[in-house]
Amino acid sequence: MADEAPKLIQIAPKGGEKKDGFNLVTERVVAVNPESKQLEVELLAYDGKTVVLDVAEEALEDLKKIKEGDGATIRVVEENGKRIAKSFKIRPKDPNAARADAMLLDLRDSHWLNRKYAAEVLGELKDPRAVDPLVAALNDEVGDVRQRASDSLIKLGGPSVSSLIPLLVSEEDEIRQSATEILRKIGKPAVEPLATALADADDRLKARIMKVLDRMGYKPKTKDQVKAELPRLT
């Protein structure tokens, strides 16, 4: 459970009367503890920090129905300095998200067939959480796993690009070639992130990015071209 929780602030409509408590919307329940009558939830508005809520007696039956990973809307009131959850509206976890969770675990499995299958399925699910694990799988000892990871990164498209760019200067030839080929096959969604990365790239990475863009048929504009397109003040 969290040691420190962000302060939850109730805001009433302008000029309106404050109501007792507020609705707390969370996309993810972190922990459920019916024995201690407490619930921990993640607050996206507070950069993923969590808050622990005490649960009122009348809501204990609903508490038993909530599972880790569920989303929920929780009616919260402040009593004697404590946040008390009075009722819940549960949003079960999306089946695809649950399947992605399982595949992310299998991607680290000791058996290569499980890793291969997980890498393939994660591309079909297109869950952006899979990007970095799939990029890591490009180093897998089994070629079939590496190939499935590559295919899935292409399917994920744009969200894969920023994690692939650093691989363009990898010390390993196979990794560099894989990253180049994946970016080329992602195509148009990769152009803008690649062009943007040029600004902060060192000379070596810049040369690699330019090579990828050239293979994609994209020619970044020169400074003179950009100046020529600027509107003239009259």
Side-chain angles (χ1 to χ4, degrees):
M1 293 284 180
D3 295 325
E4 294 183 5
K7 184 178 180 182
L8 300 176
I9 302 172
Q10 177 188 3
I11 301 176
K14 187 174 181 181
E17 181 182 354
K18 278 192 176 183
K19 295 181 180 179
D20 179 27
F22 52 91
N23 287 329
L24 174 62
V25 179
T26 178
E27 295 300 324
R28 188 169 75 93
V29 172
V30 177
V32 180
N33 193 332
E35 290 77 20
S36 62
K37 302 178 184 178
Q38 287 186 324
L39 178 77
E40 184 176 5
V41 300
E42 184 179 68
L43 304 177
L44 296 181
Y46 291 85
D47 298 324
K49 291 182 180 178
T50 63
V51 62
V52 176
L53 303 169
D54 291 299
V55 179
E57 289 289 338
E58 61 264 33
L60 288 179
E61 286 304 312
D62 285 337
L63 178 66
K64 295 174 184 177
K65 299 174 185 176
I66 294 180
K67 300 179 179 65
E68 292 181 13
D70 283 347
T73 300
I74 307 166
R75 186 65 183 170
V76 179
V77 299
E78 303 245 0
E79 294 178 355
N80 300 320
K82 288 187 176 181
R83 302 171 183 130
I84 311 292
K86 291 287 189 177
S87 64
F88 304 97
K89 183 177 180 182
I90 304 168
R91 299 190 309 281
K93 181 184 287 189
D94 185 306
N96 282 340
R99 193 177 184 206
D101 287 344
M103 292 301 102
L104 287 168
L105 286 175
D106 280 353
L107 196 58
R108 302 195 299 269
D109 194 84
S110 59
H111 199 296
W112 72 272
L113 280 173
N114 288 336
R115 299 199 303 276
K116 172 186 172 182
Y117 179 71
E120 182 176 353
V121 172
L122 285 167
E124 295 169 0
L125 294 174
K126 295 187 177 180
D127 190 319
R129 295 176 301 159
V131 169
D132 288 338
L134 286 169
V135 167
L138 294 175
N139 279 303
D140 196 279
E141 62 184 2
V142 178
D144 278 352
V145 178
R146 297 196 298 271
Q147 184 59 55
R148 294 303 188 281
S150 176
D151 293 342
S152 288
L153 286 165
I154 293 168
K155 289 178 181 177
L156 280 159
S160 302
V161 176
S162 61
S163 294
L164 289 165
I165 289 173
L167 301 186
L168 294 174
V169 289
S170 170
E171 297 299 324
E172 298 183 37
D173 289 344
E174 185 176 344
I175 293 295
R176 287 201 311 272
Q177 292 170 8
S178 293
T180 300
E181 191 64 10
I182 294 167
L183 288 167
R184 186 184 69 78
K185 288 184 177 179
I186 287 174
K188 189 174 180 180
V191 170
E192 185 175 346
L194 282 166
T196 301
L198 282 171
D200 298 318
D202 58 25
D203 290 342
R204 186 163 172 249
L205 180 55
K206 189 175 292 186
R208 296 284 183 182
I209 293 173
M210 291 294 291
K211 184 176 180 180
V212 174
L213 289 171
D214 184 63
R215 289 184 64 182
M216 295 167 67
Y218 174 79
K219 303 290 185 183
K221 294 176 182 177
T222 66
K223 290 182 179 180
D224 290 339
Q225 287 175 321
V226 172
K227 286 181 181 178
E229 291 180 2
L230 291 174
R232 296 183 179 180
L233 297 177
T234 56

